[in-house]
Amino acid sequence: MKVIEHLEKYIGEISRGADIVDKKYDLTISLYDNIPFEGIRTFITLGLNRYFIDYYFELIFVCKSNYDENEIASFLTSFSEYLIDGKKGILKGDVITFDFTLTSETKMNSLYFTLPFYFDYDLQELQLEDRAVIFPLIIPIYNEEAELIREKGWNSFEEFLEENEIDDLWDLNRESYSW
């Protein structure tokens, strides 16, 4: 319950939960409509922090609200199960590429992990009695961008985003960036 209270303090009230029935673990995906901006939807895993994978965490994914929320919630559930099964943690700057696209509505097949910069700084960590839970942000990216991050480093990617005031990372059909 403390995780939900933390999220609602820094993000807002949960709009609803995704109804994913075919899952291996006790996970839910919470949805926040028009957060952090109008026309944008935020998805956050709930329950992933029950499974220690290098540390405890819940994942944040932000995209335009016109994309199929069930498909995104299903992807996030499957991805969470992949992390639990493989005991794979993620760190800031990590990139994971798949041999399939994230959803049927995009050509993006990679994920980049960073701090949840769309939200209040204090969202990024919740200190519980027995552990700390962190909240990394997933940025969906194209394969070409994933290769550039691996080649040039995650700092160069984040500097590019900041210097160019990139503000469409939630669009799963945005143009690919090169830096």
Side-chain angles (χ1 to χ4, degrees), residues 53-66:
I53 310 169
D54 295 333
Y55 54 91
Y56 298 98
F57 57 92
E58 298 289 351
L59 300 170
I60 301 172
F61 185 89
V62 176
C63 69
K64 290 172 79 173
S65 58
N66 62 318

Side-chain angles (χ1 to χ4, degrees), residues 66-69 71-72 101 103-107 172-173:
N66 62 318
Y67 297 112
D68 185 323
E69 69 183 51
E71 200 173 348
I72 293 168
T101 60
T103 74
S104 63
E105 299 174 295
T106 183
K107 290 185 171 37
L172 301 180
N173 288 308

Side-chain angles (χ1 to χ4, degrees), residues 25 42 52 77 117 125 132 137 161 164 169 173:
Y25 300 102
T42 296
F52 180 79
T77 301
F117 59 82
E125 184 176 334
L137 174 68
L161 297 176
N164 292 281
L169 294 173
N173 288 308

Side-chain angles (χ1 to χ4, degrees), residues 92-124:
K92 179 181 179 181
D94 279 355
V95 175
I96 296 176
T97 299
F98 305 101
D99 57 358
F100 53 86
T101 60
L102 307 181
T103 74
S104 63
E105 299 174 295
T106 183
K107 290 185 171 37
M108 293 179 173
N109 71 335
S110 299
L111 304 175
Y112 174 76
F113 300 88
T114 191
L115 301 176
F117 59 82
Y118 293 125
F119 306 100
D120 186 287
Y121 177 83
D122 290 333
L123 168 67
Q124 67 185 331

Side-chain angles (χ1 to χ4, degrees), residues 41 52 72 80 88 110 116 128 138 145 147-148 160 168:
R41 181 174 293 126
F52 180 79
I72 293 168
S80 297
K88 296 177 189 246
S110 299
L128 299 173
I138 299 171
E145 294 168 327
E147 289 174 10
L148 279 173
F160 167 79
D168 65 350

Side-chain angles (χ1 to χ4, degrees), residues 7-152:
L7 293 171
E8 290 190 336
K9 177 179 179 180
Y10 293 108
I11 293 180
E13 190 173 326
I14 296 172
S15 301
R16 67 195 161 288
D19 186 24
I20 305 295
V21 292
D22 184 24
K23 58 186 178 182
K24 293 167 82 171
Y25 300 102
D26 187 17
L27 299 168
T28 302
I29 307 296
S30 59
L31 288 81
Y32 303 78
D33 291 323
N34 297 311
I35 293 177
F37 310 107
E38 189 71 28
I40 305 299
R41 181 174 293 126
T42 296
F43 299 76
I44 302 179
T45 61
L46 292 175
L48 188 55
N49 79 89
R50 293 183 189 113
Y51 307 94
F52 180 79
I53 310 169
D54 295 333
Y55 54 91
Y56 298 98
F57 57 92
E58 298 289 351
L59 300 170
I60 301 172
F61 185 89
V62 176
C63 69
K64 290 172 79 173
S65 58
N66 62 318
Y67 297 112
D68 185 323
E69 69 183 51
N70 292 322
E71 200 173 348
I72 293 168
S74 179
F75 169 77
L76 289 172
T77 301
S78 296
F79 179 63
S80 297
E81 292 171 348
Y82 163 81
L83 293 174
I84 294 167
D85 287 346
K87 297 179 176 35
K88 296 177 189 246
I90 44 103
L91 299 172
K92 179 181 179 181
D94 279 355
V95 175
I96 296 176
T97 299
F98 305 101
D99 57 358
F100 53 86
T101 60
L102 307 181
T103 74
S104 63
E105 299 174 295
T106 183
K107 290 185 171 37
M108 293 179 173
N109 71 335
S110 299
L111 304 175
Y112 174 76
F113 300 88
T114 191
L115 301 176
F117 59 82
Y118 293 125
F119 306 100
D120 186 287
Y121 177 83
D122 290 333
L123 168 67
Q124 67 185 331
E125 184 176 334
L126 167 63
Q127 192 64 49
L128 299 173
E129 290 176 17
D130 60 337
R131 66 184 181 270
V133 179
I134 64 165
F135 297 85
L137 174 68
I138 299 171
I139 297 178
I141 58 175
Y142 292 99
N143 189 57
E144 306 81 48
E145 294 168 327
E147 289 174 10
L148 279 173
I149 294 168
R150 287 184 188 107
E151 177 186 321
K152 296 182 177 186

